[in-house]
Amino acid sequence: MAFLGFAAAIAPARGAGGLVPAKADIRSVELDRRPMQTVTHFGAGIRPPHLAVSDGGESEHFVVQWFAHSPGIPPGALVMLETVTDRQPTVQTRIRRMPSKSEGDMTSRFDIPPEDTLRAGPVSQWRVRIVWRGRPLATCTSAGWAAAGKGIP
């Protein structure tokens, strides 16, 4: 009898074919670049020792604003950032796993360290996806992502 009461309690949350599917929208993706701090001296662009930056490169930060529709996305959803840089044509993937249920307005931040930017160059194209159980719920790409022929669905 207890099982029947439980089944009746969750029945309104079910659609015609089962549970309500998880839904998400990506509202915005912002790329913030913090340039390497340099001082130009006559004849050369060098950094004096007192103004040197320890990281030696430009850092990049992606801020993804997204929305998880009600009743939310269960724990384990992934926010994936895929990037291609100027000097490295292969796709690099960064993942944020959501440890708890996602519902409503959400923000995910990806920090690309200066040493990665120095080695591979700045990000030239990107794609952000919200994924749950292997199913993409939302996708947003930069201009030129499809034209670059990544060969990735």
Side-chain angles (χ1 to χ4, degrees), residues 69-91:
H69 294 270
S70 183
I73 304 170
L78 304 176
V79 180
M80 299 175 62
L81 170 66
E82 298 164 289
T83 59
V84 174
T85 60
D86 286 346
R87 293 191 297 266
Q88 194 172 31
T90 58
V91 176

Side-chain angles (χ1 to χ4, degrees), residues 31-33 58-62 110-112 117 121-123:
L31 171 58
D32 179 35
R33 289 189 168 114
E58 178 180 72
S59 63
E60 297 175 308
H61 310 282
F62 282 84
F110 295 89
D111 296 319
I112 299 175
T117 305
V123 171

Side-chain angles (χ1 to χ4, degrees), residues 44-55:
I46 60 171
R47 288 183 287 173
H50 68 283
L51 294 176
V53 177
S54 61
D55 57 31

Side-chain angles (χ1 to χ4, degrees), residues 7 17 20 29 42-43 60-61 70 76 101 112 139 142 144-145 151-152:
V20 175
V29 178
F42 181 73
E60 297 175 308
H61 310 282
S70 183
K101 179 181 176 181
I112 299 175
T139 301
S142 66
W145 178 265
I152 297 174

Side-chain angles (χ1 to χ4, degrees), residues 24 26 28-29 62-66 73 76-84 91-98 102 107-112 125-142 145 152-153:
I26 297 174
S28 69
V29 178
F62 282 84
V63 178
V64 181
Q65 300 286 334
W66 57 286
I73 304 170
L78 304 176
V79 180
M80 299 175 62
L81 170 66
E82 298 164 289
T83 59
V84 174
V91 176
Q92 298 295 311
T93 304
R94 291 171 171 79
I95 298 172
R96 295 281 179 265
R97 186 174 195 278
M98 306 307 291
S102 304
T107 301
S108 298
R109 179 182 167 116
F110 295 89
D111 296 319
I112 299 175
Q125 292 132 14
W126 53 263
R127 173 171 66 178
V128 174
R129 293 191 290 175
I130 311 296
V131 178
W132 186 66
R133 290 190 173 177
R135 187 178 64 121
L137 304 177
T139 301
C140 185
T141 61
S142 66
W145 178 265
I152 297 174

